Every structure is written in structure tokens, then in C-alpha cells.
Amino acid sequence: MSAEGSARAILAALIANAGIAVAKFVGFLITGSSSMLAESVHSVADTSNQGLLLLGQRQSRRAADPLHQFGYGRSRYFYSFVVALVLFTLGSVFALYEGYHKISHPSELTSPIVAIVILAVAILLEGYSFRTAVKESRPLKGSGSWWRFIRNSRNPELPVVLLEDSGALVGLVFALTGVGLTMLTSDPVWDGVGTIGIGVLLGVIAVVLMIEMHSLLIGEGATREEDRAIRAALEQTDNIDRLIHLRTQYLGPEELLVGAKIALAPSTDLATVAATINAAEAAIRAAVPAVQVIYLEPDLDRALAGS
């Protein structure tokens, strides 16, 4: 999946969240619901986050220069990490504070039915955004679970949007439950409980994202499937007796670096060495299209040299 697929999911989420944020703020002003306020801030954070993800994609397309000779592909990881921080500080911490304040100083809701209607419409819009993210992620997900996709994906934006949208849907259910129970029981404390639930949910999602983005920022290697494919491509190349060692690292979501040491027969002439390396590089790129940079170090097969 190219950055184009990620951009579609991000734009769908941005449009949905911008509209939802406005509606929720209007709902908060009418009702005074802390759940609505927490959800409003949540949607503002999500909208800002989508803008950051698009900025990261734009920055990653900058050409390599003497200071950043492998390019700016990791900009997408950096901005995704910033998104996790924004979600935690602006979303989770604020919601937890508002929930605590509502429980310790409860106040009656005004026209709670307005909040119910807005939250129901927001669920529909978030469902559209979530459906778009799932559609764009499915080709990358393959037959594995969604959790495995989030853990193993080298594309940072789609897991971020998936978790944000799923968190937004669950958060809306929490808000709807809090406002609904407040209407049924005439006890505004339930609104605060719903707000606390939103804060805890956002905190968990933010921590998961920070852990995953930190791992990508410091550098992750090829997936198991890609590693097997690269090894097979090298070992099946003519004149390569064996693979001595292999190192890989993602320079960006679609840029994989491969470094390997390969053993050749002691009698191999220079022209054959060059041809073998060229053939091996072509085989690797055919097996794993994400491979952009390859460094192959030829060495003598010591076992044959000593025989």
C-alpha cells in the first residue's frame, strides 16, 4: 500500500472529525455535558492529528541531501509519534480532568436529548471514517489479525487512523451511555463516569501508539515474510554459495535497506562477482519491492578455501 492509500484514509478521518468536532461543541454549549466536552476535545485532537499525518507524508517526500543521505522517510514515523502524544495530552488527560470535575461537582444537563442526537450522528460519521481505514488497510493486513497488523505494519498512518477511529467509536458509546444514564436516573455523576471512561480509553490507545511509533523511529527490520523472501532470493542466486549474514532496516514505510555478506567460491573472478551482485540485487527487489537500498559484501567461502 502506497502513501496514496494512507492519504485517503487520513482525509476521510479529517473531514469526519472536523464536522463532528463542531457539532459536539454546539452540543456541549447547549447541554453542559462533560462527556460532550471531552468528545469535542477528542475530535479536535483527532482532526489536528490527521493534519499532522498529512504533514508527515509531505515531509517524507523531500529529496535526500548531504545531511540526510537516506532521505526523509522516517518523518512519517516522527509525526505519528507526535500524534500519539497529542492524543494522550489533549485527549486523555483533559477527559480525565473533566470527568473528575463532573463527579466531584455534578451539575444538571440542559436538553440532553440534543447530545443524544449529535452523538448518534457522530457514530455514523465515525463509522464511515473507520470503514475507509479498514478498506485501505485490508490489502496490507492479509490473513493475519488486526492486532498483528497494528503491531507489524511498517506503515504508521493506517494503524494510527484505525486505532483513532475505533477509539472514537467506543468513546462515543461511552458518552452516549453517560448522557443516557444521566437522563434515566437524573444523576449527572453518570456523565462524569462516561467522561472518565473516554479518558482511560484514549490513554490506552495513546500508550499503544507511542510504543509502536517509538519502535519504528529507532528502526525496525523486515517482517518475517520479507526476511525469508530476501534470504531465498540471495541463496538461489547463481555463484552465491551461502548467505553469511543479513541485516535489514526500514528507512521509511516503503523504503527498506538491506545489507548482507555473501560467500563466493575462492576462484570467482571480478567480472563474475560484479554480475552476481547485480543479479542478487535484482532478485531481492523482485521478491520484496519495498527494498530500495542494497549493500552486498562478497567474501570467500572459507570452507571451500580451506579444502
Side-chain angles (χ1 to χ4, degrees):
M1 176 70 63
S2 66
E4 182 181 352
S6 299
R8 281 194 293 268
I10 296 169
L11 285 171
L14 188 150
I15 293 169
N17 282 312
I20 292 170
V22 173
K24 287 176 181 175
F25 267 122
V26 172
F28 161 70
L29 293 174
I30 295 173
T31 65
S33 166
S34 66
S35 292
M36 287 297 293
L37 178 58
E39 275 297 307
S40 301
V41 174
H42 178 191
S43 292
V44 170
D46 283 352
T47 304
S48 303
N49 289 342
Q50 271 90 59
L52 287 170
L53 293 177
L54 290 173
L55 177 61
Q57 288 195 340
R58 180 178 179 181
Q59 292 291 320
S60 71
R61 290 192 289 269
R62 295 170 62 187
D65 54 41
L67 185 60
H68 299 91
Q69 298 182 11
F70 288 107
Y72 290 81
R74 285 188 182 170
S75 292
R76 290 168 66 180
Y77 298 149
F78 169 75
Y79 282 99
S80 296
F81 185 80
V82 173
V83 162
L85 291 177
V86 171
L87 193 64
F88 183 81
T89 55
L90 190 57
S92 177
V93 174
F94 180 83
L96 290 171
Y97 169 78
E98 279 298 314
Y100 168 76
H101 183 267
K102 188 72 173 185
I103 292 172
S104 58
H105 301 86
S107 58
E108 296 296 326
L109 300 185
T110 305
S111 303
I113 191 64
V114 174
I116 297 292
V117 172
I118 290 174
L119 290 171
V121 173
I123 287 174
L124 294 177
L125 292 174
E126 285 289 0
Y128 161 74
S129 174
F130 181 69
R131 179 177 175 273
T132 302
V134 168
K135 179 181 177 182
E136 296 298 337
S137 302
R138 201 174 294 279
L140 283 177
K141 171 183 170 289
S143 59
S145 66
W146 284 106
W147 178 244
R148 182 182 176 187
F149 167 69
I150 290 170
R151 291 298 308 273
N152 294 338
S153 176
R154 304 308 190 258
N155 181 312
E157 295 92 0
L158 290 176
V160 168
V161 174
L162 276 171
L163 284 175
E164 274 192 351
D165 286 351
S166 58
L169 285 170
V170 177
L172 286 167
V173 172
F174 284 168
L176 197 59
T177 301
V179 174
L181 288 173
T182 297
M183 289 178 61
L184 291 173
T185 64
S186 298
D187 186 355
V189 167
W190 286 111
D191 186 36
V193 172
T195 308
I196 291 287
I198 293 169
V200 172
L201 172 70
L202 294 180
V204 170
I205 291 175
V207 169
V208 170
L209 284 176
M210 281 190 280
I211 291 172
E212 292 304 312
M213 294 309 126
H214 169 260
S215 180
L216 289 169
L217 267 175
I218 63 176
E220 289 190 0
T223 63
R224 291 182 180 179
E225 294 78 8
E226 290 169 339
D227 184 85
R228 284 195 292 267
I230 293 169
R231 289 178 183 277
L234 285 170
E235 291 166 351
Q236 293 169 13
T237 301
D238 292 341
N239 300 311
I240 295 180
D241 292 332
R242 62 188 177 89
L243 173 62
I244 299 174
H245 66 70
L246 173 67
R247 299 288 184 274
T248 61
Q249 187 172 98
Y250 267 91
L251 304 173
E254 288 113 28
E255 301 172 79
L256 180 59
L257 179 148
V258 172
K261 195 170 191 177
I262 52 177
L264 306 178
S267 59
T268 306
D269 61 81
L270 184 59
T272 303
V273 170
T276 300
I277 290 175
N278 290 336
E281 289 179 348
I284 291 171
R285 290 193 172 98
V288 182
V291 176
Q292 299 292 318
V293 182
I294 303 175
Y295 295 109
L296 297 180
E297 180 184 355
D299 198 359
L300 297 178
D301 192 324
R302 303 301 177 183
L304 292 177
S307 62

